[in-house]
Amino acid sequence: QVHLVESGGGLVQAGGSLRLSCTASGSIMTINAMGWYRQAPGKQRELVAVITSDGPTNYADSVKGRFAISRDNVLNTFSLQMNSLKPEDTGVYYCTADIDTNWGTRGWHWGQGTQVTVSS
């Protein structure tokens, strides 16, 4: 089994910062890529940021220069530092990871989400 758990969401004023974290546990051999998605009320889920196993990152245009994704390969943990937050950043944030298990399988796994609310 593989489980992902997010933490760090909350309420913040526009211009403030939050740091989200995601911890993966279970039968994990390798985390190939890790990412953050978000979903605002009434909207589809969208990619926020992704980081590959060797470090390259990619961000949605709306968060470039404000958000930063990072990973700790030893602890199987990754984070999303969010600065200069805007009301339009409000939503439920989900972590996801492409994982090779110790039993030879590979696939994407998801956390349950954490709420981020940015007030004006």
Side-chain angles (χ1 to χ4, degrees), residues 2-25:
V2 174
H3 296 93
L4 302 180
V5 179
E6 304 100 333
S7 63
L11 174 65
V12 65
Q13 289 185 312
S17 298
L18 285 174
R19 185 176 179 86
L20 307 182
S21 64
C22 181
T23 299
S25 62

Side-chain angles (χ1 to χ4, degrees), residues 24 53 59 92 106-107:
S53 59
Y59 298 91
V92 178
R106 179 176 180 175

Side-chain angles (χ1 to χ4, degrees), residues 63-107:
V63 307
K64 287 181 178 178
R66 300 189 296 119
F67 291 11
I69 188 171
S70 61
R71 63 188 292 172
D72 186 322
N73 291 330
V74 175
L75 299 178
N76 288 333
T77 299
F78 58 105
S79 301
L80 183 69
Q81 179 66 44
M82 305 185 294
N83 299 322
S84 301
L85 283 162
K86 304 175 181 179
E88 52 262 42
D89 295 319
T90 294
V92 178
Y93 284 69
Y94 301 89
C95 65
T96 186
D98 178 14
I99 294 174
D100 293 321
T101 72
N102 291 323
W103 314 115
T105 63
R106 179 176 180 175

